[in-house]
Amino acid sequence: MDELLPKLPIANWIDIIIEWLVDHFEPFFESIASGLEFFVDGIVLGLGIIPTIILAVIVSLLAWKVCNWRIALFSLVGLLLIDNLGYWENMLDTIALVITSVGISIILGIPIGIWASQSETVGKIVTPILDFMQTMPAFVYLLPAIFFFNIGVVPGVVASVIFAMPPTIRLTILGIKQVPEDLIEATQAFGSTTGQKLLKVQLPLALPTIMAGINQSIMLALSMVVIASMVGAPGLGADVYRAVTQLQTGTGFEAGLAIVIIAIILDRITQNIGKTKKGGTA
């Protein structure tokens, strides 16, 4: 078979493209790295100056407002447990990484999803790219990210964005396309422009589905914290990775438990924000 069809040098082509991008766009990547690092450090600094108990109470009150008292109580006890175990600072690093990754996913993903929902051609181009982003092993994204952004939190953020963005795009497309056709026809009958139809009908009705996509992006970004730690990203993922490499089962369980607590809090709050928008009550 090798004699009939020689092996395609795809690996060499990818290496050449990466080297060319690094050689010609190094200042561009450095500026992105500096901006992301500044943003992540800013979040950590901002959250860090708030006393632990006050931040835990603020999160609990938010959970009470958008969910119920059970989630609020769980949030308060869970955050105090994380502090008691000594993972508070690393938790802030993890939250900063997740907030930055999800924020970029939303800023890029929702406009792309809106564009793809309005154009069949764009949708046909975007769909296989999303398939590629979701099925390619997440470890692979770390390699070019290291070349472009060196080690640290930035390649972790970039890899998390690539891995976490597809649900936001997919569910934005789905939410807009699920808007009843008779409502679309009614807006057209009243002479609404494309922008008015999008902003006043499609996006409001699609908001719960879009929020579900954002919720999934948060969960995927959290699932990347251990992988991101392999390139030097700080946080709870680094604790889990260190425990695995040193066979410290108890420490690994504690750090993993802290990640689960954060995931449950963020999941319940974002889920109920979507329900509140849809039904008017939490």
Side-chain angles (χ1 to χ4, degrees):
M1 187 65 183
D2 291 344
E3 296 176 356
L4 296 175
L5 183 62
K7 180 180 181 295
L8 293 175
I10 294 177
N12 292 336
W13 295 343
I14 297 297
D15 290 340
I16 291 171
I17 292 172
I18 296 294
E19 289 178 8
W20 185 84
L21 289 173
V22 172
D23 291 340
H24 291 80
F25 293 95
E26 188 175 1
F28 173 71
F29 292 124
E30 286 180 350
S31 63
I32 291 178
S34 299
L36 286 177
E37 200 167 346
F38 177 79
F39 190 75
V40 173
D41 290 343
I43 294 175
V44 174
L45 182 63
L47 294 176
I49 60 176
I50 303 174
T52 302
I53 184 66
I54 293 179
L55 184 56
V57 169
I58 291 173
V59 174
S60 301
L61 291 175
L62 176 64
W64 195 357
K65 173 71 176 176
V66 300
C67 303
N68 52 53
W69 67 270
R70 297 181 187 86
I71 302 300
L73 181 61
F74 174 84
S75 301
L76 182 62
V77 173
L79 291 175
L80 293 179
L81 175 61
I82 292 173
D83 182 49
N84 176 264
L85 294 175
Y87 294 105
W88 187 262
E89 299 298 329
N90 287 351
M91 182 200 72
L92 297 183
D93 287 327
T94 299
I95 290 177
L97 188 150
V98 171
I99 289 176
T100 306
S101 303
V102 175
I104 296 172
S105 299
I106 293 172
I107 292 171
L108 297 178
I110 290 180
I112 293 173
I114 292 172
W115 191 16
S117 70
Q118 305 297 312
S119 168
E120 286 193 16
T121 304
V122 175
K124 290 177 181 177
I125 294 172
V126 166
T127 300
I129 295 175
L130 296 179
D131 294 338
F132 181 89
M133 293 167 68
Q134 285 189 295
T135 54
M136 177 67 76
F139 289 95
V140 177
Y141 299 136
L142 295 179
L143 296 173
I146 292 173
F147 279 104
F148 294 144
F149 305 107
N150 208 338
I151 61 172
V153 69
V154 176
V157 169
V158 173
S160 299
V161 168
I162 297 172
F163 190 64
M165 193 193 306
T168 297
I169 299 175
R170 286 189 191 279
L171 290 179
T172 299
I173 297 172
L174 180 65
I176 292 175
K177 286 191 172 181
Q178 282 184 336
V179 174
E181 192 62 32
D182 54 342
L183 289 177
I184 302 298
E185 292 175 356
T187 58
Q188 292 171 341
F190 282 101
S192 298
T193 64
T194 302
Q196 290 172 328
K197 181 177 66 178
L198 179 67
L199 294 176
K200 296 185 177 180
V201 178
Q202 290 177 307
L203 283 180
L205 292 175
L207 189 57
T209 308
I210 295 173
M211 286 301 300
I214 293 173
N215 175 272
Q216 290 302 307
S217 292
I218 292 173
M219 295 299 105
L220 289 176
L222 262 175
S223 72
M224 282 289 291
V225 295
V226 176
I227 296 176
S229 70
M230 296 179 182
V231 292
L236 296 169
D239 292 318
V240 173
Y241 181 60
R242 190 179 309 111
V244 170
T245 56
Q246 299 177 359
L247 297 178
Q248 297 176 338
T249 307
T251 303
F253 182 82
E254 284 183 352
L257 180 62
I259 294 175
V260 171
I261 291 171
I262 295 172
I264 292 174
I265 294 172
L266 293 177
D267 176 68
R268 300 302 186 273
I269 290 176
T270 52
Q271 271 189 12
N272 282 278
I273 288 176
K275 290 177 182 176
T276 302
K277 294 293 183 182
K278 183 178 183 179
T281 58

